[in-house]
Amino acid sequence: MSQPEPEHHTLHMTDPIHWHEDLPDAAPYPVFNDSSEPLFTMYCKMTEKDNKKAEFSQKYAEVIIIFMGLFSAVVAALLAVTLQDLRPDTQEKSAFYLEKLYELQFPGDSNSPLPSTPAQPPPFSPPKYAIWANSLLFMSLTFDLGTAILAISIRRWMTKSLLFTRSLKNSPHDRARVQDVIVNEYEDLDALPAWVVRVMIHISLFLLWAGISIYLFHVSKAVFIVFFSSGFICFFLYVGVLCWLRRVRSKTRSADSDVRVLDRLFKAVVEDSDLVQFFENILAFCQSKIVDDPLQKVIKLGSERFQTAVHKLLEHAWSSNFLTVSEKLRRLVLCVNFADTIHLPKVTSSILEHVFTLDQQDALRSVEMGQLLRPKDNTTGQKIGSCAQSIVAGIISKVQADDSDWVALATDQLGPSLPRYLEHGNDSVLLANLIHITRKNLESSRDDPGGRQHLLLPDASSHIFPTLSNFDIRNTLPELQHDFLALWNEIDQEAPNSAVLWKIRDHLRHFHNILTQGNGLPLG
C-alpha cells in the first residue's frame, strides 16, 4: 500500500513579514513558562514595525549585488580594450616584414651584401603602463566579485534571522534577542560584514580609478588631466558628506542587549493600556531565571522616566470617567508593586503623593485595596513592600475596625498583638500602626546611610505621617507609649545625620511632648 506523500509548506520570500502565515495551524510549538516571556513577547509585537528597517538591509544587499554586477560589466569592457596592449600586434609584425622586403627591392646602397639569415622581428615586451593598468583593473574585478559574494551572504543571513523572529517554535526571549541584533546592528549597516562590504566597494572603485588614470596618462594627456581632476573632486566631496553623515548618526549604544530591548519597548509605549501591560511584564521580568540581574537592567532605564510614567498613569486613571473603581485600584496596586520591586524613591514618592494628598483618600478607605497589597512572598527582603506598607498603614488609620477583612489586614501589618490593642481601644491600634511605619523608615535610613537611595523619603514622610497621626496618644497602652519613646530616642540620636529621620522627628515631636510633659514619663 502506497504511503501518503508528506505535506509541503512554501515560504513566500517576496513577503517576509508574513512567512509564518504559511506554517500549519496544528504545528507542535513548544511551551515556554519563564516569567520573562510575556515581556519579550510584548517587545517582539511592538517592534514588528522595526522589521521594515531591518528589511532595508536586505534591499541594501540586493542593490549592492546589482551594482557590483554592473560594475563588473564596466571593468570587463575596459579590460577588453586594455588587454590588447599585453599581446603582440599582428599588424606590427606584418609591417616589419613589408619594410624588410622594401629594403631588399630598393636597397639604398647597391654594394651592401645581402643578409645571410632572414630578418626576425624584435621580441615583444608589453609596456609597463599596460602591465600596471591591467593589474589594477583585474584587482578591481576580484574585489568586485568578492563584494558580491559577501552581499549575498548578508542577504541570506538577514532572511534567516527575520524568519527566526517570526517562528513560534523559538522562545520569546531568543526571538527578542535576535530582533534586537537585527534592529540595532543591521538597520544602520554598521555590522562587521556590512562594513567589510563597504570597504571592498571603495577599494574596487579606487583600483578602477587608478587603472584608468595610468592607462589614459600614456594614451592622451589631456583626457588624463580631465579624468584625474574630476576624480579628485568627487573624492573630496564624498569624504566630506561621509564625515557629516557619521557625525549626525553617531550615538552611544548600551552593550547590554536586554537593556536596549527594555529601552526601546519603554519608548514605544504610548497608551495607558500599553503602560499597564508594560509594568506587569516588568514585574514578571524581574523574577526571570534566564536573564542575568534583571532588576539592575530595569533600574538602568532611569528613575525619572518611571516617575513620569507612574504619574501619568495615576493621573489619567483617577481623572477618568470610564474606568471602574476596581480598575483604578488595580492600576494603583500595580504602580505600588512596581515601586516596591525596583526600589526607586522618586517613584515611591510620586505614588504616596497621589494616595495621601491629591484628593484620592478613597484608596485609603478601601479594605479591598489593602488586601490587594498584602505581600504574597516575603522572602525577597525587608525593603520589598515599603510603599505598600505605607498605604496599608493609611488604610488601617482611615477604616474602622468593624469586619474580618480589616482585622486580617491589620494583623498582617501589626502582628498577633492586634487583639490586645483592640481591647484597649482604637488609639492603641493607631499608635502601633505609627510605630510600625516609623520603624520601617528608620531601618531604611540605616540601610542607606549616605541617603543616595532615599533622598525623596522626607517628602514621602510628609505625605504619610499627617494621615497616621489622628489619634490621642494619652489613651494608648503604656507599653506602646514606652515603645514610642524608645523609638524616639533612636531617631533623635541619628537624625543629625539623616534628612529622612530629621523630617520624621518633626512629625512626631508633638506626641513626644505630650508623653513627657503630660504623663511625667522620663525620656526613654
Side-chain angles (χ1 to χ4, degrees), residues 217-342:
F217 181 79
H218 293 84
V219 173
S220 174
K221 296 293 192 300
V223 177
F224 164 77
I225 293 174
V226 173
F227 176 79
F228 194 83
S229 301
S230 60
F232 257 105
I233 293 174
C234 292
F235 172 76
F236 284 115
L237 290 175
Y238 174 75
V239 171
V241 173
L242 187 62
C243 293
W244 178 78
L245 290 175
R246 284 288 182 183
R247 185 173 65 253
V248 171
R249 296 170 56 191
S250 61
K251 58 182 178 179
T252 303
R253 289 179 176 175
S254 172
D256 193 326
S257 175
D258 290 330
V259 175
R260 291 199 304 266
V261 169
L262 296 175
D263 182 67
R264 293 180 63 85
L265 181 56
F266 200 0
K267 291 178 180 178
V269 172
V270 178
E271 301 294 335
D272 288 350
S273 58
D274 294 334
L275 189 58
V276 169
Q277 185 181 4
F278 176 74
F279 284 164
E280 291 174 344
N281 290 334
I282 284 290
L283 294 177
F285 172 81
C286 290
Q287 306 299 323
S288 174
K289 301 296 189 300
I290 63 176
V291 180
D292 296 332
D293 201 1
L295 180 59
Q296 289 301 317
K297 294 178 178 180
V298 174
I299 293 176
K300 286 181 180 180
L301 297 181
S303 60
E304 292 184 357
R305 297 175 64 186
F306 286 126
Q307 181 186 16
T308 302
V310 169
H311 182 82
K312 168 190 171 184
L313 182 61
L314 293 180
E315 281 286 345
H316 291 177
W318 291 107
S319 62
S320 174
N321 296 324
F322 302 99
L323 296 178
T324 63
V325 175
S326 298
E327 177 61 21
K328 293 179 180 180
L329 293 179
R330 188 184 76 85
R331 295 191 177 188
L332 177 58
V333 170
L334 174 63
C335 292
V336 171
N337 292 333
F338 181 77
D340 283 335
T341 299
I342 61 178

Side-chain angles (χ1 to χ4, degrees), residues 382-384 386-387 389-390 437-454 457 494 498 500-501 504:
Q382 63 181 12
K383 290 185 179 180
I384 298 295
S386 60
C387 182
Q389 288 182 2
S390 298
I437 264 319
T438 305
R439 178 69 63 182
K440 289 298 180 181
N441 280 270
L442 177 60
E443 293 172 354
S444 298
S445 178
R446 288 171 176 172
D447 291 338
D448 183 29
R452 293 183 297 272
Q453 297 181 5
H454 298 275
L457 280 181
E494 301 181 23
S498 173
V500 178
L501 299 182
I504 292 175

Side-chain angles (χ1 to χ4, degrees), residues 74-129:
V74 173
V75 176
L78 290 172
L79 285 172
V81 176
T82 58
L83 278 177
Q84 302 299 326
D85 294 339
L86 296 178
R87 296 178 295 185
D89 192 350
T90 55
Q91 294 183 356
E92 291 184 359
K93 190 174 183 180
S94 300
F96 173 80
Y97 284 117
L98 289 175
E99 181 183 357
K100 294 302 179 181
L101 288 174
Y102 180 81
E103 291 176 355
L104 292 176
Q105 292 293 330
F106 306 98
D109 186 2
S110 59
N111 296 324
S112 60
L114 295 174
S116 59
T117 58
Q120 296 292 333
F124 173 76
S125 178
K128 290 185 178 181
Y129 82 89

Side-chain angles (χ1 to χ4, degrees), residues 44-55:
C44 291
K45 291 180 179 178
M46 297 192 68
T47 57
E48 180 68 22
K49 61 180 181 298
D50 290 329
N51 285 334
K52 293 294 183 180
K53 302 177 182 178
E55 289 165 9

Side-chain angles (χ1 to χ4, degrees), residues 23 28-32 37 41 44 160-176 178:
L23 297 175
Y29 299 127
V31 178
F32 305 98
E37 304 304 341
T41 301
C44 291
K160 293 179 64 177
S161 298
L162 289 174
L163 181 59
F164 183 91
T165 61
R166 295 172 174 86
S167 176
L168 298 180
K169 295 182 179 180
N170 304 310
S171 70
H173 186 211
D174 292 336
R175 287 189 281 129
V178 174

Side-chain angles (χ1 to χ4, degrees), residues 357-477:
T357 64
L358 298 182
D359 296 327
Q360 294 167 7
Q361 298 292 335
D362 289 343
L364 297 181
R365 295 186 176 92
S366 172
V367 178
E368 177 189 357
M369 173 77 179
Q371 291 175 329
L372 294 174
L373 290 172
R374 292 177 65 181
K376 299 179 177 58
D377 183 6
N378 197 29
T379 61
T380 52
Q382 63 181 12
K383 290 185 179 180
I384 298 295
S386 60
C387 182
Q389 288 182 2
S390 298
I391 297 177
V392 170
I395 295 174
I396 293 175
S397 67
K398 287 289 183 181
V399 180
Q400 297 296 324
D402 56 357
D403 59 18
S404 59
D405 292 336
W406 183 95
V407 172
L409 181 65
T411 302
D412 186 73
Q413 181 89 336
L414 303 179
S417 300
L418 178 66
R420 189 157 49 87
Y421 301 155
L422 289 173
E423 289 178 3
H424 194 272
N426 193 52
D427 287 339
S428 293
V429 176
L430 297 181
L431 177 57
N433 189 37
L434 178 65
I435 293 174
H436 173 80
I437 264 319
T438 305
R439 178 69 63 182
K440 289 298 180 181
N441 280 270
L442 177 60
E443 293 172 354
S444 298
S445 178
R446 288 171 176 172
D447 291 338
D448 183 29
R452 293 183 297 272
Q453 297 181 5
H454 298 275
L455 291 175
L456 294 182
L457 280 181
D459 293 334
S461 65
S462 65
H463 305 322
I464 301 170
F465 283 91
T467 303
L468 305 184
S469 303
N470 295 324
F471 61 91
D472 190 347
I473 196 170
R474 292 170 295 188
N475 298 329
T476 58
L477 284 170

Side-chain angles (χ1 to χ4, degrees), residues 339-357:
D340 283 335
T341 299
I342 61 178
H343 311 309
L344 295 177
K346 289 186 178 181
V347 179
T348 300
S349 179
S350 178
I351 294 175
L352 295 179
E353 180 184 8
H354 275 80
V355 174
F356 284 88
T357 64

